[in-house]
Amino acid sequence: MTVNDSEYIRQAEATRVRVLSEALPYIQQFAGRTVVVKYGGAAMKDSALKDKVIRDIVFLSCVGLRPIVVHGGGPEINSWLDKLGIEPQFKNGLRVTDAATMDVVEMVLVGRVNKEIVSLINQAGGLAVGLCGKDGNLFTARSQGEEGIGFVGEVSNVNIKILETLASNGYIPVVSSVAADETGQAYNINADTVAGEIAAALGAEKLILLTDTSGILKDYKDQSTLIPKVDIREARELIANGIVSGGMIPKVSCCVRSLAQGVRAAHIIDGRIPHALLLEIFTDVGIGTMILGSQFTY
């Protein structure tokens, strides 16, 4: 081994130790606290990123946090609809969900995507349990009420007992965004919304949305205009004056709603960055946009 090699190894080890040392106060601060992670986007499709997200979730669990994973699965739903010869339809950005589509959504999200995430977490040394809204009446649905979109729902009620039972015993709940109304009719609910409502009901420390964006940008074409930290009032203003637009509006609104109900901090982070979760939670700089409830300071 050359002098250069040993110097490189020494520096790499020093970096690793520095990172662990920097993480310590965060681990101490968040031990025993609940973190709700909405898992989606590229981090769900790219197998190398998927592996890192899964490891991050297991890491959170191992250092004493209580991660709860909420997921959607749009691309996989589309590919199964295609296999079954059902044409996907969208209206105002929402999937039109007729009875046949709803059957596929439920089979894919609850049967395939959910169990794949559960299996990957278990392989990585965690203890995951897969749930949907129907399990233990975790959350119930009601129709969104919009004309012509079928079985697209909103969360009408959350019952966190099953999540608390699992998380307090070291299990990692993995929740798919399918639920039933009081008549037993299944509904497809936006996974960001489900994550926000669960975080609010649990009084979570953090709600973290893994997205395919860097966070909130002042100019959406310029990555260098990332806004690292805002409070609820500023977030509402960003929506009102059009800086937050398009697909970011529901994400930021969902964060604001959960903060207004007592979640301490919400984060919109770039799931395309390897180990985005650990970077955001355990480092001084973070990597995305953190939205704070007005009464909290970090």
Side-chain angles (χ1 to χ4, degrees), residues 61-92:
S61 181
C62 282
V63 298
L65 282 77
R66 293 181 177 182
I68 289 168
V69 181
V70 178
H71 68 88
E76 185 133 6
I77 292 168
N78 287 344
S79 84
W80 279 92
L81 287 172
D82 188 46
K83 285 178 192 174
L84 296 166
I86 301 168
E87 186 72 37
Q89 290 175 301
F90 291 87
K91 183 178 174 183
N92 302 333

Side-chain angles (χ1 to χ4, degrees), residues 37 39 44 54 57-58 67-72 109-110 112-122 126-133 135 138-139 162-163 166-167 171-178 194 198:
V37 178
Y39 177 37
M44 217 168 171
I54 298 296
I57 289 162
V58 173
I68 289 168
V69 181
V70 178
H71 68 88
L109 289 188
V110 181
R112 270 190 66 85
V113 178
N114 186 275
K115 290 299 170 271
E116 187 200 5
I117 297 167
V118 165
S119 175
L120 289 169
I121 290 173
N122 291 345
L127 280 172
V129 175
L131 305 165
C132 72
D135 293 297
L138 172 52
F139 54 98
I162 189 167
L163 292 181
L166 289 168
Y171 292 98
I172 301 170
V174 179
V175 181
S176 64
S177 56
V178 169
V194 170
I198 285 177

Side-chain angles (χ1 to χ4, degrees), residues 225-259:
T225 64
L226 178 73
I227 305 172
K229 195 180 283 191
V230 291
D231 65 20
I232 286 190
R233 185 182 52 77
E234 291 163 332
R236 286 186 175 128
E237 284 169 8
L238 291 170
I239 294 173
N241 62 25
I243 288 172
V244 168
S245 60
M248 280 299 271
I249 294 175
K251 291 191 186 302
V252 175
S253 299
C254 144
C255 290
V256 167
R257 213 168 43 248
S258 68
L259 293 165

Side-chain angles (χ1 to χ4, degrees), residues 1-12:
M1 187 162 64
T2 68
V3 174
N4 279 351
D5 284 346
S6 63
E7 177 61 19
Y8 171 77
I9 289 167
R10 198 177 65 75
Q11 285 178 349

Side-chain angles (χ1 to χ4, degrees), residues 2-252:
T2 68
V3 174
N4 279 351
D5 284 346
S6 63
E7 177 61 19
Y8 171 77
I9 289 167
R10 198 177 65 75
Q11 285 178 349
E13 295 296 338
T15 301
R16 185 176 296 139
V17 169
R18 196 190 74 247
V19 168
L20 282 171
S21 177
E22 190 178 303
L24 177 63
Y26 296 103
I27 292 171
Q28 289 169 320
Q29 184 180 354
F30 301 139
R33 304 287 176 84
T34 300
V35 176
V36 177
V37 178
K38 156 56 186 5
Y39 177 37
M44 217 168 171
K45 298 193 282 278
D46 177 312
S47 56
L49 286 172
K50 187 186 280 188
D51 179 56
K52 291 179 172 62
V53 172
I54 298 296
R55 285 183 60 128
D56 287 0
I57 289 162
V58 173
F59 184 97
L60 294 178
S61 181
C62 282
V63 298
L65 282 77
R66 293 181 177 182
I68 289 168
V69 181
V70 178
H71 68 88
E76 185 133 6
I77 292 168
N78 287 344
S79 84
W80 279 92
L81 287 172
D82 188 46
K83 285 178 192 174
L84 296 166
I86 301 168
E87 186 72 37
Q89 290 175 301
F90 291 87
K91 183 178 174 183
N92 302 333
L94 295 168
R95 181 187 298 280
V96 176
T97 309
D98 58 14
T101 302
M102 188 60 232
D103 281 348
V104 176
V105 167
E106 185 162 11
M107 286 191 293
V108 172
L109 289 188
V110 181
R112 270 190 66 85
V113 178
N114 186 275
K115 290 299 170 271
E116 187 200 5
I117 297 167
V118 165
S119 175
L120 289 169
I121 290 173
N122 291 345
Q123 281 173 276
L127 280 172
V129 175
L131 305 165
C132 72
K134 295 176 176 183
D135 293 297
N137 272 342
L138 172 52
F139 54 98
T140 47
R142 62 167 178 257
S143 171
Q144 202 170 46
E146 201 171 313
E147 201 58 42
I149 55 167
F151 300 112
V152 176
E154 288 177 341
V155 175
S156 70
N157 189 45
V158 181
N159 175 356
I160 54 174
K161 198 176 275 184
I162 189 167
L163 292 181
E164 290 184 323
T165 302
L166 289 168
S168 63
N169 283 289
Y171 292 98
I172 301 170
V174 179
V175 181
S176 64
S177 56
V178 169
D181 66 10
E182 64 279 5
T183 70
Q185 171 60 52
Y187 278 84
N188 183 21
I189 305 177
N190 177 286
D192 292 332
T193 306
V194 170
E197 294 296 326
I198 285 177
L202 286 162
E205 181 73 26
K206 293 180 180 295
L207 165 65
I208 302 175
L209 306 184
L210 283 174
T211 68
D212 290 347
T213 63
S214 311
I216 301 175
L217 305 172
K218 280 193 180 118
D219 173 358
Y220 74 94
K221 296 192 207 70
D222 183 354
Q223 299 293 319
S224 70
T225 64
L226 178 73
I227 305 172
K229 195 180 283 191
V230 291
D231 65 20
I232 286 190
R233 185 182 52 77
E234 291 163 332
R236 286 186 175 128
E237 284 169 8
L238 291 170
I239 294 173
N241 62 25
I243 288 172
V244 168
S245 60
M248 280 299 271
I249 294 175
K251 291 191 186 302
V252 175

